[in-house]
Amino acid sequence: MARPAPHLLDPAHYRLRTEVGLRYSDLDVNRHLNNVKLIDILQEGRGYLHRVSGMAEATPQFTIVVANLNVQFLGEAFYPEPIIVHTGLSAVGRSSQTIAQLAMQGERAVAYAETIMVTMLNGVAAPHPPHYREQLEPWLIAS
């Protein structure tokens, strides 16, 4: 993954902010935030986006799934200061959406992630329903 565009490294461009506290058990042997735990924290931010946007209503026939996840680790994070996850959409396609996330600790960027999620209907990739697309568009990140 290429280095993110400068506006994606600026928290002011994201509409959603999620604060996630660190636990001592989130540390690795070097006493900084374990990379796998950071991915869990990013997932909390994605989940929050889905709840506040109304995109969380899945049924056995209609759901969204992670198709791709790319994380750039930009710096170390340390206990106990919380991680702030800034989340928004960098793209909306016919059946997919790209979620951009910037994880910060204080004023330092510690990670940038892009997650491609695909709309599924009866187990097959399908175009976003019109009402779903309307729920996505307000969360697009302006460049």
Side-chain angles (χ1 to χ4, degrees):
M1 181 162 77
R3 181 143 178 96
H7 74 281
L8 295 172
L9 296 175
D10 180 356
H13 283 85
Y14 294 83
R15 290 193 52 208
L16 189 63
R17 177 186 187 274
T18 308
E19 182 172 318
V20 180
L22 297 184
R23 301 168 304 178
Y24 189 77
S25 63
D26 293 337
L27 304 181
D28 62 16
V29 297
N30 297 315
R31 301 187 52 79
H32 55 59
L33 179 62
N34 180 291
N35 290 348
V36 173
K37 298 293 186 170
L38 181 54
I39 292 169
D40 283 346
I41 290 169
L42 293 167
Q43 182 171 300
E44 286 297 317
R46 285 195 313 273
Y48 187 54
L49 171 66
H50 290 138
R51 288 189 304 277
V52 300
S53 67
M55 295 186 287
E57 296 182 27
T59 67
Q61 294 79 33
F62 173 78
T63 190
I64 55 173
V65 298
V66 173
N68 187 291
L69 170 64
N70 287 295
V71 180
Q72 289 186 19
F73 298 100
L74 304 173
E76 295 178 321
F78 300 93
Y79 179 84
E81 189 176 358
I83 300 294
I84 307 300
V85 181
H86 302 276
T87 305
L89 296 173
S90 60
V92 176
R94 185 182 71 82
S95 63
S96 67
Q97 57 185 278
T98 302
I99 299 174
Q101 295 182 286
L102 177 63
M104 309 265 312
Q105 191 173 49
E107 297 297 315
R108 292 179 299 106
V110 297
Y112 173 78
E114 288 185 351
T115 306
I116 298 173
M117 302 193 75
V118 175
T119 298
M120 304 290 284
L121 186 60
N122 296 316
V124 177
H128 301 303
H131 75 280
Y132 186 72
R133 180 174 288 282
E134 290 170 9
Q135 290 172 295
L136 294 172
E137 290 181 0
W139 300 97
L140 282 166
I141 299 168
S143 55

